[in-house]
Amino acid sequence: METLSENKCFGGTQGVYKHSSEATKTDMTFGLFLPAEAADGPVPVLWYLSGLTCTHENAMVKAGAQGWAAEQGIALVFPDTSPRGAAVADDPGYDLGQGAGFYVNATQDPWAPHFQMWDYVAEELPRLITRNFAVDEERQSITGHSMGGHGALTMAMGLKGRFKSVSAFAPIANPTAGDWGRKQLNAYLGPDEAAWARHDATLMMAQNGLDIPLLVDQGTADDFIDLLMPEALFAAAAQARVDGHLRLQKGYDHSYFFVSSFMEDHIGFHAEALYA
């Protein structure tokens, strides 16, 4: 693992690191914020999954998360959104290929050789981080924005027992039913829609519910709200009688101005679960 940068930040350290990934067969870059408490022993960790077109850097510099995490003594992990490189398949559209991994393990060519983002985020990167940094593998929670909100929700429901809590900012909530999902799931997983269901938070919620604390924020002025379909997720959660906080925020859009406005709420929400 190579250290690309380390900066003092709110009493802790914001680092950026690169390593060779077995899952993606590429070099991968991630950001990691460690609060001051990490000098004394392992701290709980919150995973932040980013959205379409993002890298590890977007949330790291725009979400305003480190100050709130430092107050709570929580580490933050910012993975990249896909494998990258000249040898990695790509697409001219912003919503497929590099920058748009959708947090799935691709089974179809030309994506399958490198686009193994579920395994990378769920298995390989946690092992690497807990082996090399003072984070607690037993106290982990997950959040994300847009495509990353989709990933956070599906991982929280698909990896039972892994996370203490889950939240999302404007998640792609029902990808099997919309343009932000059907194109990508067909490309990565093939035409059998049965294989898509484990990557749709609405379908997973309706079938199995959720047994950890849940917080979702969605802006009412989001230009992409018809693609995100929060109403489907909210209805599934109500039908499953999930005890979650599902909030519509009047006038907010899809940007990091929205994310940063409610980051304090989300980190406080996760801190309550991580320190319970």
Side-chain angles (χ1 to χ4, degrees):
M1 186 173 61
E2 178 184 355
T3 299
L4 300 183
S5 64
E6 288 185 333
N7 298 94
K8 191 77 171 179
C9 182
F10 292 100
T13 302
Q14 176 62 64
V16 178
Y17 308 93
K18 183 170 72 172
H19 70 107
S20 177
S21 167
E22 294 180 4
T24 68
K25 299 180 176 62
T26 65
D27 286 343
M28 296 294 290
T29 301
F30 66 93
L32 173 66
F33 170 73
L34 289 173
E37 289 85 348
D40 300 319
V43 295
V45 58
L46 176 62
W47 291 78
Y48 183 101
L49 305 187
S50 288
L52 289 168
T53 76
C54 291
T55 69
H56 70 281
E57 189 175 39
N58 296 72
M60 191 178 78
V61 300
K62 293 181 179 180
Q66 290 91 339
W68 304 118
E71 281 196 7
Q72 301 288 355
I74 292 172
L76 300 168
V77 182
F78 304 98
D80 203 348
T81 56
S82 78
R84 300 179 189 272
V88 176
D90 203 3
D91 185 89
Y94 72 95
D95 57 351
L96 186 67
Q98 296 188 38
F102 263 75
Y103 305 102
V104 304
N105 286 339
T107 59
Q108 307 298 303
D109 290 331
W111 313 105
H114 301 292
F115 280 74
Q116 302 295 310
M117 288 301 293
W118 179 281
D119 282 353
Y120 176 69
V121 173
E123 303 298 338
E124 182 179 12
L125 189 55
R127 287 197 301 267
L128 179 76
I129 288 175
T130 55
R131 189 166 64 238
N132 289 280
F133 301 97
V135 301
D136 187 343
E137 63 182 340
E138 299 298 325
R139 291 185 293 164
Q140 303 206 13
S141 290
I142 191 165
T143 187
H145 173 226
S146 194
M147 179 185 73
H150 142 79
L153 291 168
T154 57
M155 287 192 174
M157 287 187 273
L159 300 169
K160 288 192 178 297
R162 170 73 63 86
F163 301 108
K164 301 296 186 183
S165 53
V166 57
S167 73
F169 301 87
I172 300 174
N174 194 192
T176 64
D179 291 342
W180 270 3
R182 294 190 63 83
K183 170 185 175 180
Q184 295 84 359
L185 295 174
N186 182 68
Y188 294 141
L189 303 178
D192 181 5
E193 296 190 18
W196 303 0
R198 66 184 293 264
H199 297 290
D200 186 308
T202 294
L203 298 181
M204 297 173 78
M205 183 73 73
Q207 176 146 2
N208 297 313
L210 183 68
D211 60 359
I212 58 175
L214 168 69
L215 171 62
V216 177
D217 276 313
Q218 171 65 59
T220 62
D222 192 322
D223 289 342
F224 306 109
I225 196 166
D226 290 338
L227 297 168
L228 301 169
M229 293 186 281
E231 65 281 356
L233 177 66
F234 287 19
Q239 183 176 359
R241 298 179 179 175
V242 168
D243 182 17
H245 302 280
L246 307 166
R247 312 189 303 190
L248 293 173
Q249 302 292 358
K250 187 175 181 180
Y252 284 89
D253 59 20
H254 199 70
S255 71
Y256 269 95
F257 296 113
F258 158 63
V259 173
S260 61
S261 295
F262 298 100
M263 183 56 70
E264 180 184 8
D265 288 359
H266 283 245
I267 290 182
F269 164 80
H270 290 295
E272 186 174 346
L274 287 165
Y275 284 108

